[in-house]
Amino acid sequence: MPPKSARSGEYIETDNGNKISRRAQLHATQHIILAGKSVIQHDVIIRGDLVRQPPSTTQQTSSSSKPALDPSTGKPKPTPTAQPQTVSIHLGRYVFISPGCTLHPPSRLTTTTTTPTATSNISSTTRANANANAALTSSSSSDLATRRLAAQAQPLSPLSTTVPVLPQPTATATTLLPSTLPSPHLLQTLTYYPLRISSHVYLGPDTYCAAAQIGSHVYIGARCTVGNMVIVKDGVRSRTTRCCRPTRCGGGVVVAGRPAGGWQGRRGWVNGGEREGILGRGRRRRAGRV
Amino acid sequence: MASSASLPTSFSKEAQPRVEPAAGPSNVVPTTRPPLEVHPTAHLDPQAYIQGTSTITLGPNVVIHPRARLVSVHGPLTIRAGTVILERCVVGGPVPDPKEPLPPPPEAPVNTVVGQNVLLQASAEVRAGAFLDEACLIEPRAVIRRGVHIGKHTKVCAGCVVDRSVRDWTVLWGDGQTRRLRTGAIDPEDGRLKALEIDRESTAGLLTVAAAKATLGKRRA
């Protein structure tokens, strides 16, 4: 039976051949890249607004007004060209996103160590926060909430997403360095990474995807949940209503179960969460974990 | 219309105080936009959906992502401090049929309370009458049914359907019937809550910038 044809005017067709439903909800389309020949059906949510702030913008805002001079010629150095826009979601060719899907960029909490005295080592993104740290260290209060209020009073960069976190002055706190040396400050930053989907990928209806990378020729069934920072290799096939929460899914694996487990065999497959018997030869890969 | 419910002071498992509807004419036509009490530090995204007749209360540092749906048709909805609700979540449902007119305020409204520092991930559903205690983690596509009490620091894994109350420090996975107590998880839990706080602050900034850009783009157009 031939598939139903869509109503006229329901889809927007781009120059690259992408077909996007007018009822799809794409946030911040400037951060979304579609390679071509992809289909995005209705009620799809693509969060392009959760994007990693490029460091070049903060470098430009924090740099001095005078241009740097080339020591050999004495002439001002040419200003660097603007970096390309940060990509939040990148879809390959022939990607089919079924109705009700949600594409959410993965995020990770990163901890960087900064030393306030070593100014050459402090990046421009953390310079504004180093000022906040200096103000915080002078505070006599040990309450985290009070110090955070003091940090909020400092004029930080409007696009800064870092929050200075000082080590807790308790017995259980982990000391980084001996007290004789200047203690470095830990800056915990929430960073959104791009969600990359390769070519020939099918996402079933009502699927939630927060993966870091999905390889080529991947089939993800309906009502699946792909967890945060998951890497799905090429050729993975996921059954319906499955939760994929392992860190990596190897290539050519059938994933099933809640939580999902992988099966790579010639005949039959095993639900990871249901602990059924192994059928035939092959490796049973236990990947789900609570 | 039901009066605004005050925040309960205790987290006891006793029955939630009933909200008596205020005396008034019975032919009052309910509006589609419910009364809102939003704390100045809360972020309610302009693209979030709000529907109902009872009061919706957002505490301090609450972040409501776009495309989240807050429903107060069945009773008042209270979201306490530090809660993050991601996209496509439905809180206070089930969502009434959009083809039919909005029903009048119920005679016996049920309170829906989402506690402090709760993280509702995408497509999670919290039905009316549910009570989520402090620092719960509800993963994507989980469903919390009516009248269920979710204990503190409980984790409901993706896709679970919870139809009975859960004690504190419990993990539910599978179809929602498999559960176990979280053991030795205090220090990682502190780390998770700190990460949630950082996530909340940074994401609120991103959403504010994105909303401002969208508004500016509409004005230019």
Side-chain angles (χ1 to χ4, degrees), chain A residues 25 27 43 45 47 49 53 100-102 104 109 148 163 188 190 192 206 208 223 225 243 245 258-259 290, chain B residues 47 49 65-67 86-88 122 140-141 158-159 171 173-175 195 197-199 201-203 206-207:
Chain A
Q25 296 150 5
H27 297 265
D43 295 334
I45 293 178
R47 297 295 304 274
D49 53 342
Q53 299 298 330
C101 285
T102 305
H104 189 107
L109 202 66
R148 184 148 300 164
V163 175
Q188 290 188 320
L190 181 80
Y192 283 99
D206 298 326
Y208 172 76
R223 296 179 297 279
T225 302
C243 302
R245 200 144 29 101
R258 190 166 53 184
V290 174
Chain B
Q47 295 183 337
Y49 302 115
H65 281 243
R67 313 300 174 185
L86 268 69
E87 63 272 7
R88 222 190 274 271
R141 304 188 53 81
V171 177
W173 77 95
D175 55 355
E197 188 176 359
I198 296 172
D199 181 3
E201 292 175 356
S202 57
T203 307
L206 279 177
L207 295 179

Side-chain angles (χ1 to χ4, degrees), chain B residues 2-86:
Chain B
S3 60
S4 61
S6 59
L7 293 176
T9 57
S10 65
F11 291 94
S12 64
K13 297 185 181 180
E14 298 174 1
Q16 297 295 315
R18 274 190 57 180
V19 177
E20 298 294 334
S26 59
N27 57 349
V28 174
V29 177
T31 58
T32 56
R33 185 175 178 86
L36 289 174
E37 294 180 0
V38 182
H39 194 272
T41 58
H43 174 83
L44 177 60
D45 198 271
Q47 295 183 337
Y49 302 115
I50 303 171
Q51 192 176 15
T53 53
S54 303
T55 305
I56 296 178
T57 306
L58 302 184
N61 298 321
V62 169
V63 176
I64 308 294
H65 281 243
R67 313 300 174 185
R69 194 181 292 266
L70 305 181
V71 180
S72 64
V73 171
H74 310 282
L77 173 60
T78 303
I79 299 174
R80 294 183 181 162
T83 294
V84 177
I85 298 178
L86 268 69

Side-chain angles (χ1 to χ4, degrees), chain A residues 158-178:
Chain A
L159 296 180
S160 170
T161 59
T162 59
V163 175
V165 175
L166 299 180
Q168 297 288 338
T170 59
T172 60
T174 303
T175 54
L176 299 176
L177 289 177

